[in-house]
Structures are given as C-alpha cells and as structure tokens.
C-alpha cells in the first residue's frame, strides 16, 4: 500500500495540480491491482481533503479487506463465466 499522509508537505506531490487546485487532494492511499498474469489492472485508492495518519494495524486491515474483496470479485467473475458456458 502506498500512503501519502499530507501531499501538501510531500516533496513529490506538493506542486501537483490535484493538490494545489480545486480538487484539493491531501491524503492518498492506494493498492495496485495486478492480474494473475502479473499485468497491472489499476489501483484501488482512497483520497481525502484532510491529512490522515494510518497505523500499521489499519494498513494491514485495509490490505486484508482488499485481498478479500479482490478474491471475491474474481470468484464472482469465474462463476459468471462458468454459468454462461
């Protein structure tokens, strides 16, 4: 999980238009979604207009929730394909 607690204070993002403009992105946390073949599919992310500090247990919890969600979605897609066949 990639976490930016306060993008306004982060050298990598402080001058990004999403941070300085009307969107006012301050907090960002994202987990990449990778296919079974290792190809990048996108990112599941959360943004906020206020800075956040996630504890290690919160990060671990979000990772577990993501894996559970991802696996349930994969199972649902597999079942739908199987039922169509």
């Amino acid at each position: 999980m990639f976490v930016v607690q306060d993008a306004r204070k982060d050298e990598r993002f402080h001058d990004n238009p999403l941070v300085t403009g009307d969107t006012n992105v301050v907090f960002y946390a994202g987990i990449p979604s990778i296919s079974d073949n290792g190809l990048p599919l996108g990112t599941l992310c959360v943004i906020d207009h206020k800075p956040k500090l996630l504890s290690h247990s919160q990060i671990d919890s979000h990772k577990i929730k993501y894996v559970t969600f991802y696996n349930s979605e994969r199972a649902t897609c597999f079942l739908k394909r199987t039922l169509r066949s």
Side-chain angles (χ1 to χ4, degrees):
M1 177 182 283
F2 180 68
V3 178
V4 178
Q5 295 174 2
D6 190 337
R8 299 169 301 183
K9 297 178 181 177
D10 191 301
E11 192 64 30
R12 298 167 293 182
F13 305 105
H14 69 94
D15 58 354
N16 185 296
L18 295 174
V19 175
T20 61
D22 292 338
T23 53
N24 191 32
V25 173
V26 175
F27 173 81
Y28 173 91
I31 300 176
S33 183
I34 308 294
S35 75
D36 292 337
N37 300 343
L39 300 173
L41 301 174
T43 304
L44 179 63
C45 65
V46 176
I47 61 172
D48 199 344
H49 303 292
K50 298 179 221 164
K52 305 275 184 221
L53 177 60
L54 299 179
S55 68
H56 290 294
S57 62
Q58 287 175 309
I59 291 171
D60 290 343
S61 173
H62 289 305
K63 286 179 183 178
I64 290 168
K65 288 175 186 173
Y66 172 74
V67 169
T68 302
F69 169 78
Y70 179 72
N71 287 335
S72 69
E73 287 298 308
R74 286 181 53 219
T76 301
C77 290
F78 174 77
L79 287 172
K80 285 180 181 178
R81 283 193 310 266
T82 303
L83 292 173
R84 278 191 226 134
S85 301

